[in-house]
Amino acid sequence: MKMLINVAETVVADALRGMAAAHPELTVDVENRVIVRRDAPVAGKVGLVSGGGSGHEPLHGGFVGPGMLSAACPGEVFTSPVPDQMLRAAAAVDSGAGVLFIVKNYTGDVLNFDMAAELAEDEGIQIAKVLVNDDVAVTDSLYTAGRRGTGATLYVEKIAGAAAEEGQPLERVEALARQVNENSRSFGVALTACTTPAKGSPTFDLPAGELELGVGIHGEPGRERRAMMTSGEIADFAVNAVLEDLNPRNPVLLLVNGMGATPLLELYGFSAEVQRVLTERGVAVARTLVGNYVTSLDMAGASVTLCEIDEELLRLYDAPVRTPGLRWGV
Amino acid sequence: MLHADFFRRWMTAAAASVEREAERLTALDSPIGDADHGSNLHRGFAAVVAVLEKDAPDTPGAVLVLAGRQLISTVGGASGPLYGTLLRRTGKALGDAVEVSEGQLADALRAGVDAVMTLGGAAPGDKTMIDALVPAVAALDESFTAARSAAEEGALATTPLQARKGRASYLGERSIGHQDPGATSAALLIAALADTAEHREATDA
């Protein structure tokens, strides 16, 4: 396996050095692994901190900036960050208005953010937390760690970020973040496994003629394996899985997300199929994003996320955002 | 009686064992997790050894509390908080005594394991580190050697189970047939404790 790296041990630090050089509008603490918007803390503004394992770029460091996250803490590849990073991030962005932790539902992320919240509260920082768990591939939470957080994370960070930018108070920003999560569902498929730098070989064995349905974003296998399908068949499967769980009566935001190794040529073609299924099912799409936003290193495949919106959520979604990975209205 | 030095040697032995077995732990984590359990624990225990060399606490409790804090600060994932809590809460239960009996250590470890179960919400049979730790602390009343065997048996017994906690739980029935990496590393930690105790007895004799 060939990778454009020096050694596996320094991939995260090397990437952060590159981010720092490319984005002088961010403060990148390479040693402590915290990415902060340069003007933080912004007076009167709620701070938004997210984080998780590295390998999902641009999530989360690529979503730091005006209109979205105040700070992000990247962990090792596919490993949640540690509480010390989260505490540093919270302290760097708290203006006294409090900090919202946006946490994807994975055991490691949840435990580390819980510990960080306790430490931050000991230091007098008011903390609220929202758990993102939009993945419909995980069904029965009695027998699992609960639904994973995947594509909806982008919507939570964007919409809560816009509300915070307007100066809305912590309770309101938290409530909006929860509403976005509750209105969102995702389903992902993998055409190949991914290869982590530390392991150097694919994390699971997926023969050429097969695909995994219902994958998460950490290279873990999905719920089910089938013979390779066409883009249209995958779109039918993924959208139907989402709509089994979400019955939108209002228009939706649509995210057709690449897992890292699928070219835009394929993603746009897949997006056309997804739009076709949504039209057939009578679901109106208000805004569409197509691209690699919540990735899994070099995994090929895609996920579909729908978020049912109202006027307020759409207004906040459309509000200006200026980050390395998402930018409009500015 | 056990002194701070015994606990430092336990942590050093655990670090050496995790380093030796890192590839195997990662290989176990590959089919049902995300293939980093070995490298994450290796990073954490190397940091524990480094901090204990720099800063030498003089009570058993302080050694374990410091080691636990270091794991929380360096491992990440679920293993960091879970192993960190195990050692921190065991250390806290030992208090600030300069020496502790084997019985006191058994009681303290039981308190540590209880804290891990509360934090992670896992019970025996969920295919997690708890499946090695719970039988180990039960057997500790008998001997360190019995605890090592119980932990190893507990880890092996996770193979036919379906995971209900952690990342492996997302696989549902497909998690069956794989030994749990967390139970395996927990058995290494208990084996390192037994090795340290046996080595001490050999030197004392």
Side-chain angles (χ1 to χ4, degrees):
Chain A
M1 186 66 206
K2 287 189 285 189
M3 284 186 185
L4 186 57
I5 63 172
N6 292 315
V7 289
E9 288 71 26
T10 63
V11 283
V12 176
D14 291 345
L16 289 177
R17 285 192 293 114
M19 262 198 105
H23 297 287
E25 72 277 18
L26 302 176
T27 303
V28 181
D29 180 342
V30 176
E31 190 190 344
N32 295 303
R33 299 188 175 190
V34 183
I35 301 159
V36 184
R37 58 185 272 184
R38 190 166 281 285
D39 57 354
V42 180
K45 180 188 166 302
V46 167
L48 256 66
V49 172
S50 192
S54 293
H56 305 305
E57 291 70 23
L59 188 80
H60 293 279
F63 297 149
V64 175
M68 215 161 164
L69 294 177
S70 316
C73 6
E76 284 294 320
V77 172
F78 291 172
T79 300
S80 82
V82 299
D84 311 44
Q85 287 170 272
M86 300 158 179
L87 179 61
R88 270 178 202 276
V93 304
D94 182 38
S95 66
V99 173
L100 177 68
F101 282 166
I102 298 171
V103 187
K104 294 187 300 308
N105 189 31
Y106 287 93
T107 310
D109 294 86
V110 172
L111 294 182
N112 283 284
F113 269 108
D114 280 353
M115 292 194 160
E118 267 183 47
L119 296 171
E121 276 158 4
D122 286 351
E123 295 194 5
I125 303 171
Q126 196 192 346
I127 299 286
K129 283 180 288 187
V130 60
L131 200 63
V132 184
N133 58 349
D134 54 311
D135 178 10
V136 298
V138 180
T139 47
D140 193 342
S141 65
L142 268 182
Y143 299 100
T144 65
R147 285 182 165 171
R148 296 172 289 215
T150 59
T153 316
L154 178 144
Y155 291 139
V156 172
E157 293 176 358
K158 173 65 188 77
I159 289 170
E165 203 68 48
E166 290 181 348
Q168 299 205 36
L170 183 60
E171 317 82 75
R172 179 66 189 144
V173 175
E174 179 192 359
L176 280 163
R178 277 184 209 290
Q179 189 190 347
V180 171
N181 178 56
E182 281 160 18
N183 289 11
S184 302
R185 299 288 188 281
S186 299
F187 189 86
V189 300
L191 310 185
T192 67
C194 64
T195 298
T196 61
K199 186 157 180 278
S201 58
T203 53
F204 60 93
D205 177 43
L206 185 53
E210 297 180 11
L211 84 167
E212 285 273 342
L213 295 164
V215 291
I217 54 170
H218 293 90
E220 65 268 53
R223 297 269 297 184
E224 197 186 334
R225 181 170 294 187
R226 289 201 185 176
M228 190 56 201
M229 296 150 77
T230 64
S231 172
E233 288 165 346
I234 296 171
D236 278 310
F237 196 98
V239 173
N240 287 335
V242 168
L243 291 181
E244 249 172 55
D245 215 88
L246 182 77
N247 182 21
R249 274 165 291 183
N250 297 312
V252 297
L253 306 174
L254 165 64
L255 170 64
V256 176
N257 173 61
M259 296 295 199
T262 291
L264 276 175
L265 179 77
E266 294 173 38
L267 287 180
Y268 274 116
F270 179 59
S271 182
E273 296 295 339
V274 169
Q275 301 266 6
R276 169 189 57 80
V277 185
L278 288 170
T279 305
E280 286 168 10
R281 298 288 303 264
V283 177
V285 176
R287 301 286 183 274
T288 304
L289 262 187
V290 181
N292 293 294
Y293 293 103
V294 183
T295 60
S296 237
L297 293 174
D298 62 343
M299 179 184 273
S303 60
V304 174
T305 302
L306 299 183
C307 173
E308 184 175 9
I309 44 157
D310 56 21
E311 275 178 29
E312 168 78 343
L313 295 185
L314 184 60
R315 184 183 67 77
L316 291 167
Y317 179 77
D318 282 341
V321 57
R322 199 166 72 243
T323 72
L326 205 65
R327 177 182 290 248
W328 59 65
V330 288
Chain B
M1 296 299 275
L2 308 170
H3 299 86
D5 182 55
F6 173 87
F7 290 84
R8 273 197 298 275
R9 282 189 286 124
W10 173 22
M11 290 299 107
T12 307
S17 171
V18 165
E19 182 171 5
R20 240 182 354 257
E21 300 286 336
E23 274 186 35
R24 185 166 78 97
L25 293 175
T26 291
L28 288 173
D29 194 28
S30 183
I32 58 170
D34 61 348
D36 61 6
H37 191 54
S39 47
N40 285 346
L41 274 192
H42 178 211
R43 181 175 63 247
F45 274 99
V48 166
V49 170
V51 77
L52 288 177
E53 272 170 12
K54 191 168 64 111
D55 188 358
D58 49 13
T59 65
V63 169
L64 293 186
V65 167
L66 182 61
R69 258 204 230 112
Q70 189 72 352
L71 290 180
I72 291 169
S73 296
T74 54
V75 176
S79 315
L82 292 170
Y83 273 106
T85 294
L86 175 66
L87 296 184
R88 261 190 77 237
R89 293 293 285 269
T90 302
K92 282 190 136 182
L94 290 174
D96 45 19
V98 174
E99 53 175 34
V100 299
S101 69
E102 292 178 6
Q104 284 169 317
L105 172 57
D107 290 342
L109 256 178
R110 199 167 292 123
V113 173
D114 285 345
V116 173
M117 288 169 72
T118 305
L119 179 66
D126 285 347
K127 198 176 179 105
T128 70
M129 60 197 287
I130 293 303
D131 291 319
L133 291 175
V134 164
V137 291
L140 206 53
D141 291 330
E142 192 185 323
S143 70
F144 285 113
T145 313
R148 169 168 52 200
S149 307
E152 282 164 2
E153 282 163 27
L156 288 172
T158 60
T159 305
L161 299 177
Q162 176 170 338
R164 284 193 293 245
K165 291 284 166 189
R167 218 170 265 174
S169 70
Y170 299 129
L171 292 181
E173 288 180 1
R174 290 164 80 188
S175 63
I176 293 171
H178 300 280
Q179 185 173 325
D180 182 62
T184 309
S185 58
L188 293 180
L189 183 69
I190 300 296
L193 173 63
D195 288 345
T196 307
E198 284 158 13
H199 183 70
R200 170 188 59 118
E201 279 151 20
T203 349
D204 290 352

